[in-house]
Amino acid sequence: MPGSRPATAPKPRTLADAFRRFGKTGAARVSPLYERVALAVGASDAALRAVEEAPARRRQPALVLAALHHLALTGQAPELAAAYTAGDPDAAAVAAVAALPRLAGQVAAIAGRRRVRAEETGRHTVLLPLVAEAAHRLGAPRIALIDVGCSAGLNLNAVHATVAYGNGQTLGDASSPVRQSAGVVGDRPLPVRNLPRVAARFGLDHDPIDVTDAEEAGWLRACLPPDRHEAAALLDAEIALTEQNPPLLVRGDPLETLPEAFAAVPADALPVVTTAWALARLPPESRLRFLHRLDEAAARRPVAWVSAEGVGVAPSVPTFGDRHASGHSILGIALYDGPATTVEAVGRCWSRGRLLAWLADTGA
């Protein structure tokens, strides 16, 4: 319009802003140490110039700090490693700012070829009851687990893990070194089912991590902030367990490799497909293709699918009428048995399984 002022494009956020924001919002929730380190990097011109040696799209604070942590863990940043071990946020901030210019090339190289892996410990608190309940409903004496979007395949440890719930219930292998806990909301108990014998385990991912490779396992550890001691101990236990019982990891598009996994399941075993916060990484049309893959497999044999996904993310799974982006997730069980298909929402969970409410009938 005549006389109107042209719209001003939003000012690009600087790298310093990104580190300050990460310190105040991203790291502050989970790591006081990383909060202080990120704020210090964001205030240091020399440290920021070092970060700029990484490719422009690989300068995310979480990735840069993971790369720096990796160098500390591998002995290339001893002063930083000492500060991390001591758990001293101020010393860690000083050491990180000093180390970045010296290690800029190594940080850039790691950031250029790696991506941050979210907290990779298995989602056993939700998968144990879901898988056992699905197998029970179809009367399966043997199952095969197929984890879509498996990353490091640690979800497939569910059969060897134990979970203690806040209502006093315990599920899984009581002798397992992999021990998780979760709170329970409401007075309805979880179904107490024994897992059938597991005939095979497959993990499908575009870029799976083989934790039997020391370098790959080391990167997983580096992605955890140094002051997340309990999470690191659990990750170490899961890595050790996976080294003893490695699943078959299949690299490629999970939707394209899913038929191969179904074909490899023994004839007397029920394929149980698991998705735990994996479908959100797929566009809606790919989620529908995922359902089509399940339908194709179910034309030849019974199939179960258990899911823990955000509200409305898992196609066909009811949502209890909850709003999308509501901050919690829906637990679902879908059973494909010949022409009969049943899909049920059986519960809600929060914080990736740290708190859950079982809402389905737990009868025999």
Side-chain angles (χ1 to χ4, degrees):
M1 293 178 60
S4 63
R5 300 179 64 182
T8 302
K11 188 176 181 180
R13 197 177 75 184
T14 67
L15 189 59
D17 290 335
F19 273 88
R20 284 193 289 264
R21 181 175 179 180
F22 180 77
K24 292 177 180 178
T25 60
R29 297 193 305 269
V30 297
S31 171
L33 190 150
Y34 265 10
E35 176 185 4
R36 182 71 186 89
V37 169
L39 293 174
V41 172
S44 167
D45 290 340
L48 291 171
R49 283 195 298 271
V51 173
E52 287 174 345
E53 292 195 22
R57 294 187 178 183
R58 314 295 290 175
R59 298 172 186 167
Q60 304 98 317
L63 180 56
V64 171
L65 294 186
L68 202 54
H69 189 199
H70 176 75
L71 294 173
L73 289 172
T74 54
Q76 298 175 71
E79 296 85 0
L80 182 60
Y84 281 171
T85 299
D88 185 334
D90 291 330
V94 171
V97 167
L100 267 170
R102 180 172 60 83
L103 300 171
Q106 293 97 311
V107 169
I110 295 170
R113 65 186 176 88
R114 292 288 191 181
R115 64 183 176 90
V116 175
R117 299 286 183 159
E119 188 171 328
E120 288 289 346
T121 48
R123 314 305 186 185
H124 312 317
T125 58
V126 294
L127 290 178
L128 262 175
L130 287 172
V131 170
E133 180 68 8
H136 171 78
R137 292 185 180 189
L138 285 176
R142 292 215 308 166
I143 62 173
L145 295 176
I146 304 173
D147 191 39
V148 171
C150 70
S151 193
L154 302 185
N155 285 341
L156 295 164
N157 280 340
V159 295
H160 301 294
T162 183
V163 179
Y165 295 94
N167 62 357
Q169 289 185 281
T170 301
L171 299 180
D173 179 0
S175 66
S176 174
V178 174
R179 311 183 72 82
Q180 291 188 350
S181 61
V184 175
V185 176
D187 56 6
R188 178 164 291 188
L190 281 73
V192 179
R193 315 284 188 205
N194 292 322
L195 277 171
R197 192 156 64 90
V198 178
R201 297 178 297 146
F202 306 94
L204 315 182
D205 198 282
H206 284 284
D207 184 24
I209 287 185
D210 179 5
V211 297
T212 64
D213 182 311
E215 184 177 351
E216 297 297 301
W219 177 246
L220 280 188
R221 293 186 181 97
C223 287
L224 278 174
D227 50 350
R228 295 287 308 282
H229 302 298
E230 289 186 9
L234 178 59
L235 178 61
D236 285 342
E238 293 223 40
I239 288 173
L241 185 59
T242 303
E243 288 173 339
Q244 298 170 12
N245 303 278
L248 176 63
L249 300 181
V250 182
R251 184 180 300 274
D253 182 340
L255 300 186
E256 298 304 318
T257 56
L258 192 52
E260 301 172 25
F262 280 126
V265 172
D268 64 342
L270 169 71
V272 180
V273 178
T274 62
T275 65
W277 297 284
L279 296 183
R281 299 195 292 269
L282 301 178
E285 60 271 19
S286 294
R287 298 173 203 171
L288 295 178
R289 284 181 57 221
F290 168 74
L291 285 189
H292 181 63
R293 293 298 195 200
L294 298 181
D295 286 330
E296 288 178 332
R300 295 179 290 276
R301 66 194 305 172
V303 171
W305 165 40
V306 302
S307 60
E309 303 284 354
V311 178
V313 171
S316 79
V317 176
T319 64
F320 300 114
D322 299 344
R323 293 181 294 107
H324 290 222
S326 57
H328 65 271
S329 300
I330 302 294
L331 307 180
I333 294 177
L335 306 176
Y336 300 78
D337 191 5
T341 299
T342 61
V343 184
E344 183 182 358
V346 296
R348 296 184 179 97
C349 77
W350 296 260
S351 300
R352 297 296 176 101
R354 293 183 177 88
L355 181 68
L356 67 145
W358 191 270
L359 302 174
D361 180 18
T362 57

